[in-house]
Every structure is written in structure tokens, then in C-alpha cells.
Amino acid sequence: MQFSWFAPTPFHATLMGLFFALYVIVEPLRIWFGYSGNLREKVPDLAACFLFTLFPQLFACSYFALIQPRLGSGLTAPFELGLNACAALLLLPHLPLCRAAAAAIVRSQAAAFFLLTLADDVAEDEDGDDAGGGWGNYVEGVGSPIGGGGGSVAAASGRSGVLAGAGASGAAAAGGSARRPASREGLARAA
């Protein structure tokens, strides 16, 4: 085994110690943020895992594998290049995987939020708060967003709203108001 020893300058000795300390402290945090972010579906934790993978971990591996032996900043063993290159190769897949997991969680949470607002609109419609408005025109596609069409569906079901897909004409056929307010504030004023 061949060792190279160079007398490190105080700057290089400090830099080497700083990178090693950062690597040792941040690696457990990076793994924990990735694990907890994935299990609890927390995007900020996955973002922390992504950033900790990028810096200081990949940067430290690059420093120890490529820069340290050329700068002569301390004891350099022959296996350091291979060891740090393998560590960097194991860290590289984490970048696209963290990004893909965070994107999937954002899509899932956005869909859950949409379904929650849709359920709220259905509940409001069943209470009679929303006469012919809401998401029904968009979800079912029976009526137009402006309020036309869908009257026979609403009249046949005996109610207007989201599940029936009734527009303003459907609301009028079901006994509601023929005028559809433009917003929730308009709904509050109309009630």
C-alpha cells in the first residue's frame, strides 16, 4: 500500500477537518430526513434530504476523492479515491429519487385537496346552500360553466348541484334560483 504524505497548510488542515466533520454530522440527518419525509409524506423533509445530499455530502466526497490528493492537504491513502467515488455514486441516485418522491407527494396532496373541496361543495349543495353552482358543471360535464344545460338531470333527481350536474336551468327546474352567482361571495349575498 502506498501512502502520500504532504505537509498540510493550516488552511488545508482546517478545510479537511471541516469537510469531514460536516460529512459525519450531516449524513445521519440526511438519512433521517429522507426516511421521515418519505414515511410521513412531508415535502420539506424530502427537500432537506435533497439539499443535504447535494451539499455537503457530494461536495465532501468530491473534495476527498479529487481535490485533497492534488492539493497535498494531508495523508492520502490509495483507497480514498475509490472509497469516495463509490460514496458519490451511491449518493447520486438520491437526487432524482428525492425529487420524484417530493413531486409525487405534491401531486397526491393536491388531488386530496381537490377532492376535499369537492366534498365540501357536495355537502354545501346537499344543505341547499349552493343552488346550481359549484363543481357540478365541471365534473359531470352535463351543463356548461355558464349555467346552461343539465335541467332534465336535476329535475329527474329532484335536486340540483354537483352530483346532478345541473346548471342554472337545472336549478330553476328543481325549484332553485335561475341566476347563478359568480363567486362564493355572491352565494353568500344571494342567501
Side-chain angles (χ1 to χ4, degrees):
M1 191 178 265
Q2 180 184 5
F3 289 96
S4 300
W5 175 261
F6 300 100
T9 63
F11 173 74
H12 288 119
T14 305
L15 194 62
M16 185 173 57
L18 179 69
F19 275 128
F20 184 71
L22 276 174
Y23 189 90
V24 168
I25 291 170
V26 169
E27 183 65 15
L29 292 173
R30 183 188 71 82
I31 292 170
W32 187 81
F33 277 128
Y35 176 76
S36 68
N38 197 14
L39 281 183
R40 294 185 299 153
E41 295 185 350
K42 298 288 184 181
V43 175
D45 288 355
L46 287 172
C49 177
F50 179 84
L51 291 175
F52 282 162
T53 300
L54 196 58
F55 180 83
Q57 301 309 82
L58 277 176
F59 194 71
C61 285
S62 301
Y63 172 78
F64 285 126
L66 304 174
I67 299 171
Q68 177 190 348
R70 282 149 186 81
L71 289 179
S73 59
L75 179 65
T76 304
F79 66 90
E80 282 191 63
L81 174 64
L83 178 71
N84 288 296
C86 287
L89 287 175
L90 290 173
L91 286 172
L92 282 175
H94 287 237
L95 295 173
L97 291 175
C98 284
R99 186 196 172 283
I105 290 171
V106 167
R107 279 193 305 272
S108 170
Q109 289 177 354
F113 178 76
F114 175 75
L115 290 175
L116 182 66
T117 57
L118 183 63
D120 287 345
D121 284 345
V122 169
E124 285 178 6
D125 184 49
E126 288 174 353
D127 294 340
D129 294 341
D130 189 5
W135 293 92
N137 300 323
Y138 303 102
V139 175
E140 293 293 325
V142 177
S144 71
I146 301 171
S152 60
V153 175
S157 67
R159 51 176 259 192
S160 63
V162 175
L163 294 178
S169 60
S177 169
R179 186 178 151 266
R180 178 177 178 213
S183 65
R184 291 209 180 270
E185 292 81 22
L187 284 172
R189 279 184 259 135

